[in-house]
Amino acid sequence: MTPEERKEKLTQCLLCQYRMCAAGVITGAGYSVLRRATIRPGPWPMLAGGFVGTMGDFMFGYFVECAHLRETDQIFGRKEGTR
């Protein structure tokens, strides 16, 4: 696989991650509904949950789900044959 193909597949793999973003938005919506008596209802809890979830998706995708597509030797500066 060429480096360009690897980058394209890694990008596609990372952009397919959505679970934590959806969970963050749902959690933010639930928080808004349950706390509507003490806080002013608005989109901010959902936006914050979506942002945190998106960052979690990228981290999980990069280090776990799409790890087989990363070029770890180039990222961490290791040479072939070394540990």
Side-chain angles (χ1 to χ4, degrees), residues 36-63:
R36 68 177 173 242
T38 57
I39 64 168
R40 197 173 109 217
W44 297 113
M46 289 182 283
L47 290 172
F51 178 75
V52 170
T54 300
M55 293 299 109
D57 280 332
F58 280 124
M59 296 296 288
F60 179 77
Y62 188 75
F63 288 109

Side-chain angles (χ1 to χ4, degrees), residues 73 78-83:
D73 294 337
R78 288 190 269 167
K79 299 190 188 232
E80 274 187 53
T82 61
R83 285 186 169 228

Side-chain angles (χ1 to χ4, degrees), residues 19-34 45-47 49-50:
R19 291 169 282 219
M20 291 183 203
C21 179
V25 170
I26 291 169
T27 302
Y31 180 80
S32 290
V33 169
L34 293 175
M46 289 182 283
L47 290 172

Side-chain angles (χ1 to χ4, degrees), residues 63-78:
F63 288 109
V64 178
E65 193 78 24
C66 306
H68 64 283
L69 296 172
R70 286 188 296 137
E71 295 178 295
T72 55
D73 294 337
Q74 290 182 0
I75 292 170
F76 297 112
R78 288 190 269 167

